[in-house]
Amino acid sequence: GWPGPVMAGAPPPSAPGGPEPPPAPLQYSLLLQHLVGEQRRPRAWDPAALGGIPSPAKSEEQKMVERAMESCTFKAALACVGGFVLGGAFGIFTAGIDTNVGFDPKDPYRTPTAKEVLKDMGQRGISYAKNFAIVGAMFSCTECVVESYRGKSDWKNSVISGCITGGAIGFRAGLQAGVIGCGGFAAFSAAIDYYLR
């Protein structure tokens, strides 16, 4: 009679002294193909699956506060206050190292009193604070308007707003001063933006 059914794909038994059949592929190589090879599937990052804390939905009050803080008015006011403080500190510092503070041109040999020196330092600090506040508010408001108009947040916004701010300040002294102010403020804004980014 015929022998029993033969399994398909089974390698024929090697004859004694003949070539041995090729070894079966290693299982870990197949596993590596699925882990780091071509068979790997990217997995979506889901923090909740790893025990992340779900964030609650924002209330209307929180949304309203966020909209107010992102508005151009708030940014301009914040820059105005920051410019006032920075300008005042800078004015007092420059007055402190200036040897002519409290100097009376009518009596150049008289030593100024502490009250006169403090008065001059205060006046210079207030003057610098006002100028810095105006420039800060103008620049911040202009940048916010330009960014809203363009719909992009990149270095061009700083350059455009710097040119507008410098030009507006310089035009009070004439057309040439306005052009110089525009170029100077634009270059300074580009340098600061490049350094910060």
Side-chain angles (χ1 to χ4, degrees):
W2 293 96
V6 180
M7 292 181 62
S14 59
E20 294 187 8
L26 299 175
Q27 293 299 321
Y28 73 85
S29 63
L30 296 177
L31 181 63
L32 287 176
Q33 286 293 324
H34 287 279
L35 290 177
V36 294
E38 299 175 355
Q39 305 275 340
R40 184 174 63 90
R41 295 179 182 175
R43 296 183 63 182
W45 173 253
D46 186 10
L50 300 175
I53 301 173
S55 59
K58 295 179 181 178
S59 63
E60 289 299 322
E61 290 81 10
Q62 289 176 326
K63 292 180 181 177
M64 186 176 66
V65 169
E66 285 184 357
R67 283 194 298 268
M69 292 181 69
E70 292 174 358
S71 66
C72 295
T73 305
F74 180 80
K75 291 180 180 179
L78 191 64
C80 182
V81 173
F84 188 87
V85 173
L86 182 64
F90 186 71
I92 291 174
F93 172 75
T94 56
I97 60 175
D98 189 1
T99 57
N100 292 328
V101 173
F103 176 75
D104 186 7
K106 296 178 182 177
D107 190 4
Y109 296 105
R110 186 178 64 85
T111 303
T113 63
K115 184 177 180 181
E116 292 172 340
V117 171
L118 290 176
K119 181 180 177 183
D120 279 2
M121 289 176 69
Q123 289 176 348
R124 186 178 294 191
I126 292 295
S127 174
Y128 275 65
K130 288 179 182 178
N131 291 335
F132 274 59
I134 291 172
V135 171
M138 284 179 62
F139 180 83
S140 179
C141 187
T142 307
E143 184 179 27
C144 184
V145 170
V146 170
E147 182 176 340
S148 300
Y149 177 76
R150 294 184 67 232
K152 296 178 182 178
S153 179
D154 56 8
W155 62 273
K156 294 180 182 178
N157 296 338
S158 299
V159 173
I160 294 171
S161 56
C163 180
I164 293 172
T165 304
I169 294 173
F171 274 132
R172 295 183 299 178
L175 179 62
Q176 184 178 1
V179 173
I180 294 174
C182 172
F185 262 74
F188 181 73
S189 302
I192 293 296
D193 191 82
Y194 176 79
Y195 177 77
L196 292 178
R197 289 176 190 261

